[in-house]
Every structure is written in structure tokens, then in C-alpha cells.
Amino acid sequence: MTKSSDIDLTVLQNSPSPEGRKWYFLPETDSTNAEVIRRLSSHPSEEGLVVIADCQTGGKGRSGRVWHSAPGTGIYLSMLIQPNFSPERIPIVTLMAGLATAIAVNEFIPQPAQLKWPNDLLLNNKKIAGVLCEYHATKVPAVIIGIGINVNHTQFPDDIKDIATSLKLESGLETNRTTLIKQLVTQLDFQYSKLKNNKIQALIDNWTRHSDLFGKPIIISKGDQSITGKAVRLDNLGRLVVLNESGKEIVLDSGEVRIQRK
Ligand code: BT5
């Protein structure tokens, strides 16, 4: 069995998809997001394009962080969308992609994973997936939705071993990556169609149902500031509304959230 044998591009290409979708599989790349961005210069209009890699040598997280992308075990996938809206809407795209990931992943585990604002999916308080959306302003503005899911990992490097988990570690079962990719892309298409139809509130309500963040005491770090309070809700721009310790509502468009567990 080759390392990437459970990713079967033919199965994916034959699955129901929007017309004209292109699928690419790469045994190795620096970053699937970077791959899509490079491709945009020669192919400026390819809405729906999906690029999958078996391994990333420069997997990207937010703010220049690294996404650990071991070969043969994870899903490293980018989808290109070219919606008719401005960069302010990217936070909503990130929520939409997280929701699609949660729904897809939850098909494969008995206990549901929970979304953590803005871009994490947690299982038993450990990170099982992350989303990185990047805006690229070309002739046809593009958003690259990057999703990393820990699927069949049995171990992680020292720096993340206490904060990361995988489907395999949580369920004890090996998951076929092609089956999960199919679910993920189906969900992405479905949630994106809702976004295009401006069903923002429905999307935010659904995201909220897939998160155990609300009502919990949290600490949010933003640069060198940190705010302690309770997550109250998301507003219609996808920002987090927090009730701080003085009883004042604060609206955050970015930050690192830590749930204070007892
Ligand atoms: C993310 O960033 O969670 C976004 C991850 C997006 C990865 C996908 S893979 C396909 C596409 N191509 C790319 O190059 N990227 C996207 P952030 O919230 O900044 O989290 C990064 C942090 O998560 C790191 O600093 C580590 O602490 C932790 N981390 C790194 N790799 C991890 C992993 N495999 N599992 C769990 N946690 C990880």
C-alpha cells in the first residue's frame, strides 16, 4: 500500500460536483493554499477548484504559524471560491468553512467535535482541524479556503502533542480519506450555496449549534492584550461578542480564544 493510496482522485472526480470543477492531487507541495494562489496567475477564473496534497512541507496557519502536515495521514485541502463580495466578508467564509468541516468530521465520530471561534475544530479540547482563508485580489477576486484535518495520525511532534488530536486517536478507527474529502467538499458546496444566497443568519445559527463556546468563561488574547469574559454570540459579520468582567459587551474581529475549563 502506498502512503497516499486512500486518496483516490478518480472517485472524487466522479462524485457529484458543480459543473467544471477541477480536482488536483499532489503527493507533496509546500502548501495547497500557496499552490492555488500560484495557479491563479495563469488560471484567473476557476471557481470550485480543489487542490489536495498528501503532504505539505510548508503548511500555513494564521499569522505565519505552521500547520503540521505529515504524509499519508491528514487531509490538506484548498478550495477556490470567487464570490462577488469584498474582503470584509472573509470572516464569514472562515465560519462557513469551519461549519462544513465540523459537519463532515462529525459523520465519522460518535462524539461531536466543537467549533472554536474563529477557525478551530476541537475534540475533547484538542485541535483536530483548522481553517485558513486567504483573499487574493486579482482580476476576479478570489478566496482560497484551506482546511487541514488530522485523520489517521497516531502521534504529533512535541510542540503540539498536548494540543492536537486526530480521528484515529479519538475513535481508534482508521478513516478513509477519500470518503471524508467527499463529505467535506459536499458540505463546502452546500454551505457556500447558502452564503451566496445571503443566508448569513442561518449560517451563524448553525455555527453556534456546533460550538460549546457560548456562556463559558474565556480568555481572549489579541496582540499583547488579553480580555477575560464570557462569549455571548456572533454578530452578523461573524465577530465574537464578549461580555467582559465589567459587564460591558465587546466585539472582536480576531483573537486567540482559550476556554477556561474547571
Ligand atoms: C490554523 O491556523 O488552524 C489553520 C490551519 C490551516 C491548514 C490548512 S492545510 C491546507 C491549507 N494549506 C495550508 O498551507 N494551510 C491550510 P492557526 O489557528 O493559526 O493554528 C496554528 C497552530 O495550530 C500552530 O501554531 C500550532 O500550535 C497548532 N497546530 C499546528 N499543526 C497542527 C495540527 N496538525 N493539528 C493541531 N494543531 C496544529
Side-chain angles (χ1 to χ4, degrees), residues 46-62:
E46 274 189 336
E47 165 133 306
L49 166 76
V50 175
V51 174
I52 303 157
D54 185 55
C55 167
Q56 296 185 124
T57 53
K60 297 191 277 184
R62 294 172 305 152

Side-chain angles (χ1 to χ4, degrees), residues 230-243:
K230 258 185 194 165
V232 181
R233 63 176 180 278
L234 298 181
D235 73 6
N236 62 2
L237 294 174
R239 299 176 302 184
L240 184 66
V241 182
V242 178
L243 190 65

Side-chain angles (χ1 to χ4, degrees), residues 31-32 56 60-62 65-68 119 127 147 150:
S31 149
T32 53
Q56 296 185 124
K60 297 191 277 184
R62 294 172 305 152
R65 295 189 201 116
V66 168
W67 185 255
H68 173 67
N119 70 319
K127 189 154 165 171
I147 298 173
N150 299 328

Side-chain angles (χ1 to χ4, degrees), residues 26 29-43 136 144:
L26 304 161
T29 184
D30 52 351
S31 149
T32 53
N33 271 27
E35 194 72 44
V36 173
I37 291 170
R38 283 192 293 270
R39 202 178 150 81
L40 278 170
S41 56
S42 51
H43 301 80
H136 198 72
I144 298 94

Side-chain angles (χ1 to χ4, degrees), residues 12-260:
L12 295 170
Q13 283 164 334
N14 290 328
S15 58
S17 268
E19 209 177 315
R21 158 161 293 148
K22 293 206 174 91
W23 294 86
Y24 288 98
F25 172 74
L26 304 161
E28 184 179 297
T29 184
D30 52 351
S31 149
T32 53
N33 271 27
E35 194 72 44
V36 173
I37 291 170
R38 283 192 293 270
R39 202 178 150 81
L40 278 170
S41 56
S42 51
H43 301 80
S45 177
E46 274 189 336
E47 165 133 306
L49 166 76
V50 175
V51 174
I52 303 157
D54 185 55
C55 167
Q56 296 185 124
T57 53
K60 297 191 277 184
R62 294 172 305 152
S63 315
R65 295 189 201 116
V66 168
W67 185 255
H68 173 67
S69 311
T73 53
I75 290 175
Y76 316 112
L77 177 148
S78 297
M79 183 191 277
L80 172 68
I81 60 168
Q82 299 185 295
N84 193 11
F85 57 60
S86 56
E88 296 85 72
R89 280 285 191 75
I90 292 197
I92 296 282
V93 177
T94 301
L95 297 181
M96 182 276 279
L99 176 63
T101 307
I103 295 172
V105 164
N106 285 347
E107 294 272 320
F108 294 81
I109 38 176
Q111 177 202 352
Q114 302 286 335
L115 287 163
K116 188 182 74 136
W117 185 85
N119 70 319
D120 288 346
L121 187 65
L122 305 183
L123 193 52
N124 287 328
N125 306 324
K126 292 185 172 181
K127 189 154 165 171
I128 194 158
V131 174
L132 173 69
C133 289
E134 297 184 270
Y135 182 79
H136 198 72
T138 44
K139 207 157 58 183
V140 188
V143 182
I144 298 94
I145 301 173
I147 298 173
I149 307 177
N150 299 328
V151 185
N152 294 319
H153 300 61
T154 51
Q155 57 185 25
F156 290 97
D158 280 351
D159 59 328
I160 57 166
K161 70 176 188 325
D162 296 331
I163 57 161
T165 193
S166 70
L167 285 164
K168 170 97 189 242
L169 285 170
E170 297 294 329
S171 69
L173 302 172
E174 196 92 3
T175 298
N176 178 279
R177 284 182 291 167
T178 303
T179 316
L180 179 47
I181 291 168
K182 248 170 83 172
Q183 287 281 5
L184 175 63
V185 172
T186 302
Q187 269 304 319
L188 281 170
D189 289 339
F190 180 65
Q191 302 300 338
Y192 179 43
S193 71
K194 294 199 163 183
L195 190 61
K196 281 192 289 193
N197 288 321
N198 267 318
K199 302 263 189 284
I200 309 282
Q201 195 52 50
L203 196 152
I204 283 175
D205 291 345
N206 204 358
W207 194 99
T208 304
R209 280 195 292 278
H210 285 82
S211 176
D212 64 356
L213 190 65
F214 300 97
K216 298 244 168 72
I218 56 170
I219 302 176
I220 306 124
S221 329
K222 205 177 165 179
D224 49 13
Q225 279 197 319
S226 100
I227 299 160
T228 307
K230 258 185 194 165
V232 181
R233 63 176 180 278
L234 298 181
D235 73 6
N236 62 2
L237 294 174
R239 299 176 302 184
L240 184 66
V241 182
V242 178
L243 190 65
N244 76 6
E245 286 176 312
S246 333
K248 194 171 163 227
E249 280 195 358
I250 298 177
V251 181
L252 294 160
D253 56 8
S254 64
E256 288 301 317
V257 174
R258 246 180 326 120
I259 302 176
Q260 290 185 289

